[in-house]
Amino acid sequence: DKGGYRHFMLKEIFEQPAVLSRTLQGRISKTRVMEQAFGADAEKIFDQVKGVQIVACGTSYHAGLVAKYWLESIAGLPCNVEVASEYRYRRVFVSKDTLFITISQSGETADTLAALREAKKSHYLASLVICNAPNSSLVRESDLVFMTQAGPEIGVASTKAFTTQLVALQLLTIALGRRHGLAEQTEADMVGSLASLPDQIETALGLDDTIKHVSEKFADKHHALFLGRGVEYPVAMEGALKLKEISYIHAESYPAGELKHGPLALVDANMPIVAVAPNNDLMEKLKSNLEEVQARGGKLFVFSDQADAFPSSEEVTVIDVQSVPDTIAPMVYTIPLQLLSYHVAIVKGTDVDQPRNLAKSVTVE
Ligand code: M6R
């Protein structure tokens, strides 16, 4: 049932305030993360964790990449992230007391499951899955389980599963961070921001009309570049994946600092460039990267809460996102990118919920 929406994808995008609030429910108090959400043995296992290995595919892999920034900068733990199809076939070096984490909406992705089975033969401390499907293989075979509460996701393009995974990973970051010097006040601030997330996402969904407008400028394009820096780089990767998956426009993502090492050669007036640009420590750096793009005639689409920093012009479209704390910016900035890919697909007339050549759950290698 599409609940009155034209597509499952749109319904699922708009469900995010509700499912995020469900994912948080019972997992946070006013100021603290309740780590039992990760399972009865979580406390004991978390005490011993000295590092993290994350394995996943597609959108879930992008969630893992966001978590790497959080785990290293907030929890002070080393973190590796790898796509499952690579991880499962190579000899890996496992450091002592490393927690092995899989992330999966379906819990049945063949490569991710195979990676978990491989990992069990190595000397990991324990395994944890962040999953949306109860009773799935990954849930059955992992030591610790965190269930995202996104509800069934029907659209092939993953939307609400991603933002709920990010919430799960931030709760994990806090739970582990506590054991490595994360201040109680920082935890309380982060928890407060998470509690505000459903409302913030609701506000971001208000960009729908604006983005519908912007999407028309993409429909005749064959390529697009998505740029971000720091924790927003994987958000840009996810934006690019969404666009290619449902609109069939070739989209690539780059950490903006890499532009001049090659991709700048692609930039001309036919190349839309999407920038994820919240006001954070790296915004000034990003801004100068974008000036280089502009100097080559590129058309910029900047998602930012600092409209003044990127004045609109013929060449620059600024999409004004509300200002939010850094820790929840990846979730909030994901919303307009989801809407962008949706509306571009609509203009192009592609099959939004069932893109060609793709399956919702990839249970074969
Ligand atoms: O069910 P999973 O999270 O394990 O699926 C992983 C990928 O197949 C999935 O995220 C895929 O990339 C999506 N179609 C992206 O929108």
Side-chain angles (χ1 to χ4, degrees), residues 222-276:
H222 299 289
H223 306 277
L225 272 183
F226 283 68
L227 304 177
R229 292 192 74 134
V231 72
E232 305 304 335
Y233 167 46
V235 173
M237 293 173 83
E238 174 57 11
L241 176 62
K242 285 290 88 88
L243 190 69
K244 61 189 134 188
E245 190 173 23
I246 63 165
S247 78
Y248 314 150
I249 292 176
H250 169 223
E252 271 200 85
S253 50
Y254 271 95
E258 272 292 296
L259 267 184
K260 56 164 85 65
H261 300 286
L264 202 51
L266 291 169
V267 174
D268 63 16
N270 293 318
M271 174 74 94
I273 292 148
V274 175
V276 185

Side-chain angles (χ1 to χ4, degrees), residues 57-60 103-107 109 112 156-158 165 241-242 245 362:
C57 301
T59 291
S60 299
I103 309 170
S104 176
Q105 189 286 127
S106 63
T109 299
T112 310
V156 165
S158 187
Q165 286 166 350
L241 176 62
K242 285 290 88 88
E245 190 173 23
V362 185

Side-chain angles (χ1 to χ4, degrees), residues 226 235-236 239 242 274 276 303 333-341:
F226 283 68
V235 173
K242 285 290 88 88
V274 175
V276 185
F303 293 83
Y333 279 76
T334 293
I335 304 301
L337 299 183
Q338 293 171 346
L339 289 169
L340 178 67
S341 64

